[in-house]
Amino acid sequence: MSSREKAKEPTIGKWLASDRRTASELFARRSDGDFGTDDLPVERYISRDFHEREVGKLWSKVWQMACHETDIPEVGDYITYEIGSRSFVITHAAEGVIKAFPNACLHRGMQLVDDQGQAPAFTCRFHGWSWNLDGTMRRMPESWDFPQAEQRKMCLKAVRVATWGGFVFINPDADAQPFEEFIGELPEHFKAAPLEDRRIAVHVARFMPANWKVAMEAFLESYHVSPTHPQSVTVSEYAETQYDVYGENLSRLATVAVAPATPAMRQMTPQEFADYAAKGTGREPIQLGEGETYRSALAEQRRKDVAAVQGTSVDHLTDVEMLDAIEYFLFPNFLPWYGFGLPIVYRFRPNGDRHDSSIMEIYLLAPRDLSKPPPPAAKIEWLPDDRPFAEHPGLGRLGTIFDQDYENIVGVWKGLHSTVEKGLILGQYQESRIRHYHRRIDDFINAQEK
């Protein structure tokens, strides 16, 4: 058996097979891809020219997450979204209607709004031109001096909008592929545990001193876990992470996050391992009953905790869905985690029009009372450059992990400018998701350059 074939042996599959509950066939399906063994050019990260090609040919043409619906819960609420040098305003225009527009006045190009807020209309503070929330013209001061305006429809040009999982996506390209086709089978994977059933409990952002791809790739594989996060190694099967690619724009990694992963751990009694794992991860100790394991007891505890908040049962979810690290990736930069093991969503993007700086955002999700409308999302908190993630109280034990990843990102960015090699050597399987999304970047760039 080759090393690649061995790596592809069942990981979460063996745990799903032993569970009395049944996950969907789609969720259990393996679908890895072979994207070769070619080196990845260093210039893709450090080149200003490549960044400009991405801005013009990727970000201006692709579906991208702009905000969460609960960022704009009331009619009149708006929030800005910036990518490259462009700014967009997303607004709750009417009951059940979300609109998005370029964030610019049609008169002299003045930015209409900043950040986030509430308004009955968009009024330019430069000369007072104003538009209704649906983009139609509301007021043009001294309109007699603009006879040419009568020959045009002076409406803000709407940008395409779609929603999934409570998140709002936009696409600046009017001729782009429909969103439903773009996301492929992603909705079916989340059908048993919808993201709509969660609330945004914490939203943390930080400027990263590296290209957006360098920052994001620190979270696309588990190959780094053993040397980078040694505290996780003994209680999780990170070395056996499963990688799947589903179509053009979707991939997944799946790691059994609660299991005795070393010979020493496997020699412990179930209660000894339960005590060790709880102490190492900061969880509450669990007293196991007859025939229980730490894994089964923790999964059951989480089912009870989630049901108590939601007001509905989640007994249909397997232990894998309750405990394990299941990270999906929707091209180009949206990473929602499935289930209740790590209830996180990541977003990575360039910091303005810079190729050497990026923005990392962390959304922590929590169960919500499903008998009530979802509460407003937590406001974004920008972490200062000199403050470690571990000092943010809302991140809990994850803060230390993010700090460890941050050090890698800084080190990679510096190393990319020091290496004499022209290409990076990536694993064929464990780093296949990185290869996959780079291929999609090329699809967009090459389509525009033909």
Side-chain angles (χ1 to χ4, degrees), residues 426-437:
L426 270 65
Q428 184 179 12
Y429 176 64
Q430 295 182 91
E431 292 167 317
S432 59
R433 300 171 81 212
I434 297 175
R435 292 182 178 280
H436 172 248
Y437 98 85

Side-chain angles (χ1 to χ4, degrees), residues 106-332:
L106 298 184
H107 172 216
R108 296 263 292 275
M110 178 71 175
Q111 186 162 294
L112 290 172
V113 296
D114 300 309
D115 301 324
Q116 186 173 1
Q118 223 280 346
F122 300 123
T123 301
C124 179
R125 58 183 178 270
F126 196 1
H127 296 94
W129 287 37
S130 184
W131 286 266
N132 297 309
L133 297 177
D134 64 359
T136 56
M137 191 79 198
R138 183 172 182 241
R139 179 173 178 267
M140 183 190 300
E142 301 181 44
S143 58
W144 61 267
D145 202 23
F146 300 89
Q148 69 272 37
E150 295 180 4
Q151 302 169 20
R152 307 180 187 176
K153 277 191 173 182
M154 299 303 293
C155 298
L156 298 176
K157 187 175 181 180
V159 173
R160 294 178 69 182
V161 173
T163 60
W164 174 78
F167 290 90
V168 179
F169 295 77
I170 69 167
N171 194 323
D173 182 9
D175 298 320
Q177 177 185 22
F179 180 72
E180 293 74 19
E181 294 179 11
F182 182 84
I183 61 173
E185 59 190 64
L186 180 63
E188 289 300 313
H189 281 259
F190 279 76
K191 192 172 183 179
L195 289 182
E196 295 94 327
D197 291 354
R198 319 289 179 86
R199 62 183 177 88
I200 306 297
V202 176
H203 183 186
V204 177
R206 184 172 188 171
F207 294 112
M208 308 295 279
N211 182 268
W212 70 278
K213 298 183 294 295
V214 171
M216 185 170 74
E217 287 171 18
F219 300 89
L220 286 179
E221 41 80 10
S222 294
Y223 183 40
H224 73 282
V225 170
S226 181
T228 300
H229 311 301
Q231 70 271 31
S232 302
V233 172
T234 58
V235 297
S236 307
E237 294 184 339
Y238 282 97
E240 300 179 13
T241 295
Q242 172 179 318
Y243 300 91
D244 299 295
V245 175
Y246 302 102
E248 288 187 325
N249 302 311
L250 184 64
S251 69
R252 178 181 76 175
L253 69 74
T255 301
V256 176
V258 181
T262 67
M265 297 299 105
R266 297 186 189 106
Q267 290 175 9
M268 290 181 175
T269 66
Q271 187 61 58
E272 287 173 339
F273 178 72
D275 295 340
Y276 175 88
K279 182 179 180 180
T281 57
R283 300 186 183 103
E284 287 292 320
I286 295 178
Q287 190 63 40
L288 302 181
E290 185 68 28
E292 275 192 315
T293 64
Y294 179 61
R295 182 176 173 83
S296 64
L298 183 61
E300 197 55 40
Q301 181 186 79
R302 286 192 179 169
R303 288 187 188 93
K304 292 177 181 178
D305 291 345
V306 172
V309 175
Q310 288 190 171
T312 59
S313 172
V314 289
D315 192 56
H316 61 288
L317 296 178
T318 63
D319 289 356
V320 168
E321 293 164 295
M322 296 306 301
L323 298 176
D324 294 327
I326 315 293
E327 180 202 77
Y328 284 81
F329 170 70
L330 179 65
F331 183 81

